[in-house]
Amino acid sequence: METNEQIRKVLRKALEEELETFLEQVSQMTEGELEQLEEQVVKSSQAIGRKLMEGVLNSRLHEQRPAARRQGSCGHVQRLVGERAKELITLVGLVSFVRPYYQCLHVGETEEAQDCTHGEAPADALWGVDKQRTTGGVQRQISYLSARLTFEEAAETLCRSVPIGM
């Protein structure tokens, strides 16, 4: 329960900061600027979404500290070498999270070494972003747009609704 409360505090603080930024931007607008208000609401919604995603991805809900040793997907014993950041392209923009990274202890010239991953971040597989930088939602959106438009038009259309560059 303590962990849940810590996450709530962090997320609450991030949301309050974003709300203050939104209110500051809105207070500078004059009444009747509906298009500017709409744009600011969308930007703030996406910023809030990014903060929520980062908060959940960076939380240690399931384990307080990463294990020093683990068995990798290649079957070798791996050691924790540190934490590494990963940037994901999501439907609310770029989201960054830090996750434990492990490397195999004994990598030799044997046949086993051919199947060896040498290193991996288990959280990537857990969240379904192993060996990729985009979420399933972004992939579905790109697939849908690419089926109907040229790749250039699909990229432009996606970038109009998602705060990313292509």
Side-chain angles (χ1 to χ4, degrees):
M1 282 306 218
E2 185 178 319
T3 304
N4 273 344
E5 201 52 44
Q6 289 172 340
I7 294 167
R8 286 177 190 218
K9 284 181 184 178
V10 169
L11 291 176
R12 194 174 289 126
K13 184 176 187 252
L15 295 175
E16 286 173 1
E17 289 172 4
E18 194 55 47
L19 181 60
E20 286 301 317
T21 302
F22 172 76
L23 292 172
E24 190 177 300
Q25 294 292 325
V26 170
S27 70
Q28 296 173 7
M29 292 179 197
T30 58
E31 282 189 55
E33 294 178 329
L34 185 59
E35 191 172 331
Q36 283 184 322
L37 175 61
E38 184 177 45
E39 285 177 19
Q40 190 58 47
V41 167
V42 169
K43 285 179 186 176
S44 295
S45 298
Q46 290 169 334
I48 287 170
R50 285 190 298 275
K51 291 189 186 231
L52 289 173
M53 285 189 75
E54 286 176 350
V56 171
L57 289 170
N58 285 313
S59 69
R60 299 277 194 263
L61 291 174
H62 302 292
E63 64 180 3
Q64 287 295 329
R65 297 178 59 106
R69 300 272 192 269
R70 68 181 291 274
Q71 179 151 354
S73 61
C74 59
H76 294 134
V77 175
Q78 295 180 329
R79 69 181 174 88
L80 178 67
V81 292
E83 293 188 333
R84 294 188 179 174
K86 181 170 187 161
E87 247 185 13
L88 291 174
I89 300 171
T90 73
L91 291 175
V92 291
L94 288 176
V95 170
S96 181
F97 75 108
V98 177
R99 72 271 195 258
Y101 187 80
Y102 295 85
Q103 287 182 336
C104 293
L105 284 174
H106 305 289
V107 179
E109 300 294 324
T110 66
E111 290 178 21
E112 289 179 358
Q114 292 176 357
D115 296 332
C116 183
T117 59
H118 300 290
E120 58 192 1
D124 291 358
L126 176 70
W127 291 106
V129 291
D130 193 30
K131 297 181 179 101
Q132 56 194 38
R133 289 183 6 100
T134 57
T135 62
V138 170
Q139 292 170 15
R140 278 189 300 281
Q141 194 77 344
I142 290 171
S143 296
Y144 176 80
L145 293 171
S146 295
R148 296 183 172 341
L149 307 167
T150 66
F151 290 129
E152 187 176 315
E153 292 168 333
E156 183 182 327
T157 302
L158 183 66
C159 290
R160 287 175 147 246
S161 60
V162 177
I164 56 173
M166 276 192 195

